[in-house]
Amino acid sequence: MSQRLPNLVWLRTFEAAARHLNFTSAAQELGLTQAAVSLHIRSLEQRLGAELFVREPRNLTLTEMGKAYLPAVSNAIEDLTLTTAGLFGPSQQKAVRVRAPVSTAILWLAPKLIDFTHHHPEIDVRMVSSIWADRMSSTDADVDLQLGLPDRFPGATEFLSQESIVPICHQDHAAHYAKAADLLHAPLIHILGFEDHWTRYFKAHGLDEQKARYVYSVDTTAAAIEMVSSGLGLAPVLTRFALQARESARPIHIVDHPVPLEQAHFLAINNTKGKARPEITEFCQWLRKAFAQDQTNLPHDFKTPKP
């Protein structure tokens, strides 16, 4: 039985490459060259007598055999890591893998990470972003931060914050939009996603959305804010994103009061082995405080969204 056990270095390389689905990213994490990663994977495949990856131009995916092998390898490495830390003490370099929607990652989380790093310089945050993620992932992150409707997260998740939206425009155009009805004649940016935020906004103000003029459609709020900052139109964005952008000195103006959404931010800790590592616990505690602080710092007339 032991004769079939492959080189442990190869297994570690396989786990990193399978997690990133990119040999270059795996090499950077492991402190190897891309060629070394490729050699390790090829050696492992030869040792096992099976292909673990499908290699295509600019695309890397796991084979069915690779998918079946990954959980066992990941669990074995995690067991070794936890046991080593428990017996011999944690290493100086700690890492937390965080998965978040791309707009949450770019517009809200990234600007705040400097505070976490200031208090925990020994912890390396490795962030992976996703577009329209509607379920928690059990394999590619320690901490899963997601945005969506409650029924999309039936598992062991923790509610963080109910969200609301506000329309934003370029600060130089603020005088043109004194009331909600003015937006019906403005160039509007539609953000694809779980629901039509403009429909919700106009309905909340008793306005006929059919009269609105849509000029652009984008798939992320980050792209919409860039377009608004360039003066191309108005967009409905999460209130926390708008306030963070304004705090970062982006040239945007918040046109109106927030309109409540059904969407919320949720947190899951991917912890299949019992107690979470200390660095994961530290990051989650900081994340909860960051969401709570946002609510505390809302302008007074924003604390209760206007229907």
Side-chain angles (χ1 to χ4, degrees):
M1 186 79 70
S2 62
Q3 293 178 353
R4 290 289 296 171
L5 183 64
N7 185 307
L8 294 180
V9 174
W10 299 348
L11 292 175
R12 181 168 173 258
T13 303
F14 164 68
E15 189 276 339
R19 179 160 30 86
H20 290 286
L21 289 178
N22 185 289
F23 284 179
T24 301
S25 297
Q28 292 173 346
E29 176 180 322
L30 299 173
L32 301 173
T33 64
Q34 191 272 343
V37 168
S38 182
L39 178 61
H40 287 180
I41 298 301
R42 184 62 68 188
S43 299
L44 178 61
E45 290 175 328
Q46 291 174 354
R47 179 71 178 81
L48 298 173
E51 296 286 330
L52 298 173
F53 291 94
V54 178
R55 299 161 176 84
E56 298 175 344
R58 299 186 179 181
N59 189 41
L60 185 70
T61 58
L62 286 165
T63 63
E64 291 302 313
M65 193 66 74
K67 292 178 182 177
Y69 198 37
L70 178 59
V73 174
S74 297
N75 288 339
I77 291 175
E78 184 174 357
D79 281 342
L80 282 172
T81 301
L82 291 174
T83 300
T84 301
L87 291 175
F88 305 104
S91 63
Q92 287 298 108
Q93 185 62 35
K94 304 175 184 178
V96 177
R97 294 172 294 170
V98 181
R99 179 174 180 259
V102 62
S103 291
T104 301
I106 295 172
L107 299 173
W108 186 82
L109 185 55
K112 293 182 179 296
L113 281 177
I114 189 172
D115 176 71
F116 178 79
T117 301
H118 174 74
H119 290 92
H120 301 283
E122 77 286 1
I123 300 178
D124 177 17
V125 178
R126 301 172 183 174
M127 193 155 54
V128 179
S129 58
S130 58
I131 299 178
W132 303 348
D134 61 357
R135 63 182 177 83
M136 297 297 180
S137 167
S138 61
T139 60
D140 61 357
D142 300 311
V143 177
D144 219 330
L145 171 64
Q146 290 299 342
L147 170 69
L149 303 175
D151 60 6
R152 293 181 183 268
F153 304 106
T157 60
E158 175 184 342
F159 172 85
L160 287 176
S161 176
Q162 198 71 38
E163 301 301 334
S164 61
I165 53 169
V166 290
I168 60 172
C169 69
H170 192 282
Q171 61 187 17
D172 293 344
H173 304 161
H176 300 303
Y177 309 114
K179 56 186 183 299
D182 295 335
L183 277 61
L184 289 172
H185 312 291
L188 302 183
I189 300 168
H190 173 61
I191 304 172
L192 304 171
F194 291 113
E195 60 177 80
D196 187 344
H197 289 172
W198 277 125
T199 298
R200 177 175 290 273
Y201 174 77
F202 287 125
K203 183 177 180 180
H205 290 82
L207 298 171
D208 183 6
E209 183 219 354
Q210 300 300 317
K211 298 179 180 179
R213 182 164 64 95
Y214 295 97
V215 179
Y216 301 101
S217 291
V218 295
D219 61 358
T220 67
T221 303
I225 289 182
E226 286 297 324
M227 296 173 77
V228 172
S229 297
S230 298
L232 295 178
L234 291 84
V237 305
L238 264 62
T239 303
R240 73 174 63 254
F241 295 167
L243 292 173
Q244 182 65 48
R246 192 170 66 178
E247 183 178 327
S248 301
R250 302 300 297 275
I252 68 167
H253 170 73
I254 297 176
V255 174
D256 198 4
H257 289 73
V259 169
L261 286 180
E262 295 179 2
Q263 295 178 21
H265 272 102
F266 296 87
L267 168 68
I269 302 173
N270 291 326
N271 177 29
T272 60
K273 295 296 181 181
K275 187 176 181 180
R277 303 195 312 271
E279 59 267 31
I280 296 176
T281 300
E282 291 287 354
F283 183 84
C284 290
Q285 290 175 345
W286 172 84
L287 192 63
R288 295 181 187 103
K289 290 178 181 178
F291 271 92
Q293 191 66 37
D294 261 17
Q295 187 65 29
T296 301
N297 291 339
L298 280 176
H300 180 71
D301 54 353
F302 276 21
K303 292 186 184 298
T304 304
K306 186 173 68 176

